[in-house]
Amino acid sequence: MEAPAAAAPRPQIDDYDHVRVEAKWRRIWEQRGDYRTPLDDPERPFYNLMMFPYPSAEGLHVGHIIPYAGGDIYGRWRRLKGDTVFEPMGFDAFGIHSENYAMKIGEHPAVVMRRAVHNFRENQLKRIGSMFDWDHEVNTAEPSYYRWTQWVFLQLFKRGLAVQREGAVNWCPSCLTVLADEQVEQGRCERCHSVVETRYLRQWWLLITRYAQQLLDALDTLDWSDSTTTMQRNWIGRSEGALITFDLQGCRRDNVTVYTTRPDTLFGATFLVVGADHPDLEDFVPRERLGDVNAWRNRLRPTDEPDFSVGIDAGSSAVHPLSGERIPVWIAPYVLGGYGTGAIMAVPAHDERDWKFARAHELPIVEVIAGGDVAAAAYAGPGVMVNSDGFDGLPGDEGKKAVVQRLQELGRGEASVQYKLRDWLISRQRYWGPPIPIIHCPDDGVVAVPEEDLPVLLPELEDFRPTGTGVSPLATVEDWVNVTCPECGGPARRETDVSDTFLDSAWYFLRYPSTDFDAVPFDEERTATWLPVDMYIGGNEHAVRHLLYSRFIMRVLHDMGLVPAPEPFSRFRAHGTIVMEGAKMSKSRGNVLNPDEYIERVGADAFRLYMMYLGPYTSGGDFRDAGIAGMTRFLHRVWRLAQTATADDTHDIDRERRRHRLIKRVDDDIATLSYNTAIAFLMQFARDVDHEAQRGAGRRVDAETLLLLLAPFAPFISEELWERTGHEASVHTPGQWPAHDPELARARRVTVAITVNGKVRGQLETDAGTPAAELRRLALEQPRVRELLSGREPRNVVAVVDRIVNVVV
RNA sequence: GCCGGGAUGGUGGAAUUGGUAGACACGCAGCGUUCAGGGCGCUGUGCUCGUAAGGGCGUAAGGGUUCAAGUCCCUUUCCCGGCACCA
């Protein structure tokens, strides 16, 4: 193709038809298998993962595009840079959410899910232009998958990390099942917002608290968004303090141990408080008070706001371990039976809650840390110990150490670390989940289903609705429940609870790289090659649960020698939340947008670009579809310029510099997920090249560079134009990303700003790297500067090379 | 209450990490193309005074450091996210 400047005949270009272009390349890519990843022995494997969706029957909404397009841009970029990128996708199809939806529309969850998964995959995920490798799709509700979820459970069970025990659990009266602590928000069910009740039930727990310290420490080794690691840290909630034992009088127990972070305030402890939900509450109460206390406890109702005046005198007393004084024991709901030891020493002078409680019940307030006015309010600030026997005058940390040491000598206490993290309750009295693979035998007790008998198939059940009696509907299936014990062969019964859906998703990333799905949970060699995930993208709503559970399961499997890495995701970025005119998108607000119509109207390319352009990727943006027109205009421009910029002028050094600057800029921006600015630069570049092309002077090399850099963002149109401009291979061919020359990317001429007393008064065009002394001289020659100086000598002249000259008058 | 992140034109957002605030886009206005509408293209667009040249003001509010502050420090207000009786 010849392209002499002015005389170039305008080639006839057909209109950009996104429907045709996108359908064409979807078909070709699928037929050619462009995105099937060679999983064995890749030179530079890159596991690019996005959180898989749970298929609700409403389909994907606009918010899904953020992770799936955003993650794909990153993956396509790595691929163009030469990595072997594995980008799988699947479906989190089990769970209460899916089941509730099925009940609502009166269909069986299996049917609803099959339809939803098909719709998600065929009509939506395949249309958005992401290079998912569908050969490795997983679906957590398939027996071939949940068989191994059950296997994961058994590994935990065998290591003593899955136990059945009775305890206070969160019961949702609407979902009719227990919930994990992580599923309760401000005392309400996160799904249906019913007020959660406390029930005492025998349930299955995974002992994640055993890993609290490891899970906390390893956060430092991860490249994750700060906001996410902070949330995990807070959730694990490590605190350092001391356990202190008080002797008891007047009740069944001889003594009680309390946990405190302020052992330095021990002499200010004027009473003890036992949590109203303490499992052995009656042991703290004298026999004659039991009736009163139980009656009081039964009248307790959960309150939204904490009330520090509620409490009752237990009737017993405690002996202060250092002063020997007798102090009363109280019972109150503001103390949590499940944290620490379930009992505290109350120091009203230096704890706001204790102070309020003391005031309400006229208990003494004794100042033991100087610095506040404890008659007016609790003082929690720093200060030296006072009224503390031989400890007076010691400041904070020293005081804590000294008190703990004395207690230790007396055998009355020791330093201790506590965590807020609780064990993970995984039992669900529901239908739509993997049955917990356990058999209860009257002789042998709790017995694991032998691994070769997995999966324990979820029986097909007409009436799958929850019973509300604390028992799963599976309990009604007599011929499923009644089995023979694998140990003794005698009659036994199956466990009828299913496991939490978060267990399904806590290991799915291990499953993707495997091929032989029936033989193993995950292929060991593939796992060694591909794990940990190199880049994980998802919403911060899973910052605590999914990410923490996955880390826990991975760590357990690692300890068993089954996976090579202790952590599943070496890099994680939370994308921002997309809002609609300022409000978070949700069904209840009725502002959920379906991406299908946009893909139909403007195409996946324009839509992807627009979503990425809304704002910084990690902070989300406000969706207004008015702006989408800008993207359509941009793509029309690219369409035109790519086919008209055919000049072969590679010697234009300034344009060559511009091109290299663009490559560097886009490359750097994608690396940091700054998609919005990368797109802005592509637009600017496209405008310039288009103007040149309209004069017949558009360079072919500029057009080609533009297409390559645009390819991750707009995979269809760049592929079509790449073909139209005479290329045989795909624009997405691995390793094809253009390199930039750092020398050329550096500017040659620069505009230096001239300021007088910090106010801009002019500009100076110079060669890059002009020395500061020369810049100062040039600045002082400027007529405008002279005028402002009006004959005076400047007091100072500061020059920053390539940046600015400031004249101080 | 505690922890984290924010506040920049009419709007979404940029700003090389202390160095020309407002890139890019939406919207709006003018012009061109068109019978017209739409679309498309070009130009302009922080506020303000001025015909212009040019000046003044301007990054939530107030103060400070600096030759120079959207950026650093202090105080205050508001918004978003998380945790929330964790002793």
Side-chain angles (χ1 to χ4, degrees):
Chain A
M1 253 187 277
E2 292 298 305
R10 282 289 180 76
Q12 278 299 318
I13 302 170
D14 59 339
D15 284 343
Y16 167 46
D17 176 353
H18 66 265
V19 174
R20 224 190 59 233
V21 168
E22 294 184 2
K24 168 184 166 186
W25 289 104
R26 257 200 320 271
R27 197 188 65 242
I28 294 177
W29 291 337
E30 189 157 345
Q31 280 170 1
R32 282 204 307 234
D34 280 13
Y35 303 124
R36 258 177 234 146
T37 319
L39 291 170
D40 294 311
D41 306 315
E43 229 170 87
R44 276 161 52 194
F46 190 93
Y47 192 170
N48 191 50
L49 189 65
M50 301 147 228
M51 288 182 183
F52 63 168
Y54 56 80
S56 61
E58 303 86 40
L60 291 175
H61 62 81
V62 163
H64 283 108
I65 304 302
I66 298 283
Y68 299 149
D72 183 63
I73 289 165
Y74 197 85
R76 284 185 180 273
W77 172 68
R78 296 299 304 215
R79 188 168 185 268
L80 273 165
K81 284 175 82 77
D83 290 350
T84 300
V85 175
F86 179 44
E87 189 172 297
M89 186 43 66
F91 301 95
D92 192 13
F94 259 151
I96 299 181
H97 184 278
S98 308
E99 187 181 317
N100 283 355
Y101 185 81
M103 282 193 297
K104 194 173 127 199
I105 64 170
E107 288 188 76
H108 196 276
V111 177
V112 177
M113 281 307 107
R114 222 179 346 255
R115 199 170 55 223
V117 163
H118 179 85
N119 179 43
F120 263 55
R121 191 204 304 107
E122 300 305 321
N123 300 332
Q124 302 193 293
L125 290 167
K126 284 190 175 177
R127 284 176 188 267
I128 61 179
S130 297
M131 51 172 199
F132 299 127
D133 181 348
W134 290 106
D135 284 1
H136 292 267
E137 174 184 344
V138 303
N139 179 333
T140 58
E142 297 285 350
S144 63
Y145 183 92
Y146 72 72
R147 162 183 186 178
W148 300 110
T149 302
Q150 292 170 338
W151 175 88
V152 167
F153 173 89
L154 287 181
Q155 307 315 305
L156 288 153
F157 177 70
K158 285 171 186 167
R159 301 207 108 208
L161 291 169
V163 301
Q164 196 184 26
R165 67 181 181 207
E166 186 152 322
V169 298
N170 310 299
W171 174 266
C172 174
S174 167
C175 294
L176 302 175
T177 182
V178 301
L179 302 171
D181 288 323
E182 288 83 354
Q183 286 162 325
V184 180
E185 294 172 348
Q186 282 162 41
R188 289 169 184 275
C189 171
E190 57 149 6
R191 204 171 295 99
C192 66
H193 308 291
S194 314
V195 174
V196 167
E197 300 165 3
T198 298
R199 287 201 183 182
Y200 291 83
L201 291 169
R202 201 166 171 74
Q203 301 283 316
W204 283 96
W205 308 74
L206 301 185
L207 306 188
I208 191 172
T209 53
R210 297 258 183 99
Y211 282 77
Q213 190 61 50
Q214 285 184 59
L215 289 168
L216 182 65
D217 290 341
L219 286 173
D220 294 332
T221 69
L222 302 174
D223 176 9
W224 282 20
S225 311
D226 282 347
S227 60
T228 314
T229 46
T230 302
M231 280 163 73
Q232 293 225 341
R233 259 187 208 101
N234 292 344
W235 191 264
I236 293 169
R238 179 191 157 103
S239 81
E240 287 176 28
L243 294 170
I244 303 175
T245 303
F246 289 71
D247 282 337
L248 290 176
Q249 292 177 349
C251 61
R252 190 148 51 176
R253 272 175 92 126
D254 296 336
N255 61 59
V256 61
T257 299
V258 300
Y259 173 70
T260 178
T261 55
R262 295 293 305 275
D264 55 327
T265 64
L266 177 56
F267 284 88
T270 52
F271 56 103
L272 297 191
V273 186
V274 179
D277 60 340
H278 194 289
D280 305 317
L281 190 67
E282 297 189 349
D283 295 350
F284 293 89
V285 182
R287 188 174 296 274
E288 65 275 12
R289 295 257 316 141
L290 269 178
D292 289 350
V293 169
N294 279 330
W296 170 84
R297 186 157 90 143
N298 290 337
R299 271 186 275 116
L300 275 184
R301 314 220 78 239
T303 52
D304 277 349
E305 287 298 304
D307 184 346
F308 297 103
S309 67
V310 178
I312 187 169
D313 190 340
S316 53
S317 59
V319 182
H320 192 286
L322 295 188
S323 73
E325 251 178 273
R326 277 181 56 159
I327 57 175
V329 176
W330 284 68
I331 297 164
Y334 86 84
V335 169
L336 303 174
Y339 178 76
T341 62
I344 62 150
M345 65 178 205
V347 184
H350 304 293
D351 182 281
E352 200 191 329
R353 297 153 299 180
D354 297 344
W355 192 89
K356 287 180 180 160
F357 192 82
R359 270 294 162 95
H361 299 281
E362 292 173 353
L363 291 155
I365 297 171
V366 177
E367 178 184 51
V368 292
I369 300 290
D373 175 12
V374 303
Y379 176 68
V384 297
M385 292 174 69
V386 293
N387 296 327
S388 296
D389 215 357
F391 297 94
D392 288 359
L394 289 177
D397 281 350
E398 261 177 72
K400 287 180 187 171
K401 273 189 202 130
V403 170
V404 171
Q405 198 182 337
R406 169 73 63 80
L407 289 167
Q408 208 152 7
E409 286 159 12
L410 298 170
R412 303 260 88 187
E414 59 182 339
S416 169
V417 171
Q418 299 287 327
Y419 303 90
K420 290 185 198 171
L421 182 69
R422 313 288 178 81
D423 284 324
W424 175 14
L425 170 58
I426 59 151
S427 288
R428 295 293 180 275
Q429 291 73 46
R430 295 287 297 242
Y431 171 68
W432 193 234
I436 292 175
I438 288 290
I439 288 166
H440 300 276
C441 170
D443 294 330
D444 297 304
V446 177
V447 179
V449 170
E451 283 179 25
E452 59 271 21
D453 291 351
L454 298 180
V456 176
L457 284 173
L458 183 64
E460 288 200 20
L461 203 52
E462 276 294 302
D463 187 4
F464 55 86
R465 289 173 303 168
T467 61
T469 56
V471 181
S472 157
L474 291 177
T476 61
V477 192
E478 281 301 317
D479 57 348
W480 180 82
V481 170
N482 293 308
V483 286
T484 54
C485 171
E487 302 267 318
C488 64
R493 288 177 64 83
R494 280 196 193 282
E495 171 64 50
T496 57
D497 285 351
V498 300
S499 59
D500 183 9
T501 180
F502 277 103
L503 184 60
D504 305 330
S505 56
W507 73 281
Y508 79 112
F509 44 87
L510 290 167
R511 181 76 166 165
Y512 279 133
S514 299
T515 301
D516 189 357
F517 277 4
D518 291 331
V520 288
F522 40 83
D523 184 306
E524 266 187 66
E525 244 173 75
R526 294 268 179 85
T527 306
T529 304
W530 291 96
L531 270 287
V533 170
D534 295 286
M535 177 60 135
Y536 195 28
I537 283 180
N540 236 352
E541 69 271 21
H542 292 118
V544 172
R545 285 170 295 183
H546 164 60
L547 291 176
L548 193 63
Y549 295 150
S550 298
R551 296 182 60 215
F552 164 58
I553 296 295
M554 185 77 172
R555 210 156 263 279
V556 172
L557 295 174
H558 176 68
D559 286 351
M560 295 172 66
L562 295 172
V563 294
E567 285 288 332
F569 319 116
S570 46
R571 193 154 184 239
F572 170 75
R573 288 293 178 275
H575 64 254
T577 319
I578 190 92
V579 294
M580 268 296 276
E581 268 110 47
K584 199 169 166 178
M585 239 182 249
S586 73
K587 257 181 296 163
S588 51
R589 286 196 186 80
N591 62 354
V592 175
L593 281 182
N594 188 311
D596 301 11
E597 62 173 284
Y598 288 100
I599 291 174
E600 184 86 32
R601 212 171 74 214
V602 301
D605 283 336
F607 192 55
R608 281 164 68 110
L609 277 165
Y610 181 62
M611 296 300 284
M612 296 303 112
Y613 189 67
L614 279 175
Y617 188 68
T618 48
S619 65
D622 196 348
F623 186 87
R624 286 162 211 267
D625 71 352
I628 212 162
M631 279 309 150
T632 309
R633 285 182 199 136
F634 169 57
L635 290 183
H636 276 104
R637 168 168 264 160
V638 172
W639 184 261
R640 183 177 58 207
L641 84 87
Q643 298 179 75
T644 50
T646 52
D648 194 20
D649 181 5
T650 48
H651 305 296
D652 184 330
I653 190 69
D654 285 330
R655 285 204 261 168
E656 203 44 19
R657 286 174 184 282
R658 182 184 65 186
R659 190 174 74 88
H660 282 268
R661 271 201 306 277
L662 176 78
I663 297 169
K664 176 169 168 32
R665 193 55 215 239
V666 172
D667 202 37
D668 291 350
D669 280 357
I670 296 179
T672 56
L673 306 185
S674 306
Y675 297 147
N676 56 334
T677 48
I679 293 166
F681 275 85
L682 289 169
M683 287 175 140
Q684 208 164 10
F685 183 79
R687 186 187 58 197
D688 293 345
V689 176
D690 185 35
H691 286 173
E692 288 154 12
Q694 288 186 51
R695 298 199 316 265
R699 299 195 312 162
R700 186 187 318 178
V701 64
D702 285 336
E704 290 191 349
T705 301
L706 178 65
L707 291 181
L708 285 169
L709 299 184
L710 186 63
F713 299 95
F716 295 107
I717 192 174
S718 49
E719 183 79 306
E720 172 70 16
L721 290 169
W722 195 247
E723 185 192 56
R724 284 174 176 233
T725 49
H727 299 86
E728 297 273 317
S730 167
V731 73
H732 304 291
T733 302
Q736 211 169 217
W737 191 255
H740 76 271
D741 178 339
E743 265 318 302
L744 285 174
R746 207 165 292 144
R748 193 181 49 162
R749 295 284 291 178
V750 291
T751 309
V752 174
I754 301 180
T755 62
V756 176
N757 287 342
K759 283 193 187 348
V760 182
R761 299 299 179 180
Q763 290 185 336
L764 197 54
E765 283 273 325
T766 63
D767 286 335
T770 304
E774 175 70 2
L775 287 177
R776 279 197 290 269
R777 197 184 62 75
L778 289 169
L780 290 174
E781 274 177 10
Q782 295 255 317
R784 185 84 185 112
V785 173
R786 286 180 157 178
E787 197 184 313
L788 285 161
L789 278 171
S790 54
R792 287 169 295 174
E793 280 299 303
R795 286 200 292 142
N796 194 9
V797 182
V798 186
V800 180
V801 172
D802 291 359
R803 274 285 104 80
I804 197 159
V805 182
N806 189 23
V807 179
V808 188
V809 180

